[in-house]
């Protein structure tokens, strides 16, 4: 099931697309992801240069930890913005449905992270 916000965001309609929970921290997320990207390139370089396998695994673990930190931040942003936003829906019937939808999105995302 797709939310109206996701449909608007996919179509590129900036006027109807909502602000996402992470928007206020977007630059920090991008900086962290660029740092992770550099770490991954470093790992590829280590493999290319036949570095010791344990040293490579140590770097892979560091990248995984950094990605988990980004993931947890995004989950927290989703709960703090999207789920709380759904809870502020004025229509009680729509509120319950919106909350259920947003909580299910978060639960599914957490499930994917734990696989």
């Amino acid at each position: 099931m797709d939310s109206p916000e996701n449909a608007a965001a996919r179509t590129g309609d900036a006027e109807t697309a909502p602000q996402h929970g992470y928007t206020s921290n977007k630059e920090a997320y991008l900086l962290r992801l660029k740092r992770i990207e550099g770490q991954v390139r470093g790992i590829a370089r280590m493999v290319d240069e036949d570095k010791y396998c344990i040293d490579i695994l140590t770097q892979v673990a560091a990248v995984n930890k950094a990605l988990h930190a980004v993931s947890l931040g995004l989950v927290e942003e989703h709960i703090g913005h999207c789920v709380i936003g759904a809870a502020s829906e004025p229509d009680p019937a729509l509120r319950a449905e919106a909350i259920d939808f947003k909580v299910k999105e978060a639960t599914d995302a957490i499930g994917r992270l734990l696989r």
Side-chain angles (χ1 to χ4, degrees), residues 80-96:
H81 180 266
C82 301
V83 175
I84 297 300
S88 66
E89 167 62 47
D91 182 334
L94 293 177
R95 183 181 321 127

Side-chain angles (χ1 to χ4, degrees), residues 3 11 31 52-53 67 70 76 83 90-91 94 101 105 109 114:
S3 69
T11 60
L31 183 63
Y52 186 53
C53 53
L67 283 170
V70 169
E76 184 177 358
V83 175
D91 182 334
L94 293 177
F101 181 81
E105 280 184 327
L114 295 176

Side-chain angles (χ1 to χ4, degrees), residues 13 18 32 35 51-52 54-55 58 60 67 70 108 115:
D13 189 351
R32 291 174 89 178
R35 196 173 305 128
K51 298 295 182 184
Y52 186 53
I54 297 301
D55 294 338
T58 299
V60 169
L67 283 170
V70 169
D108 290 348
R115 284 188 206 147

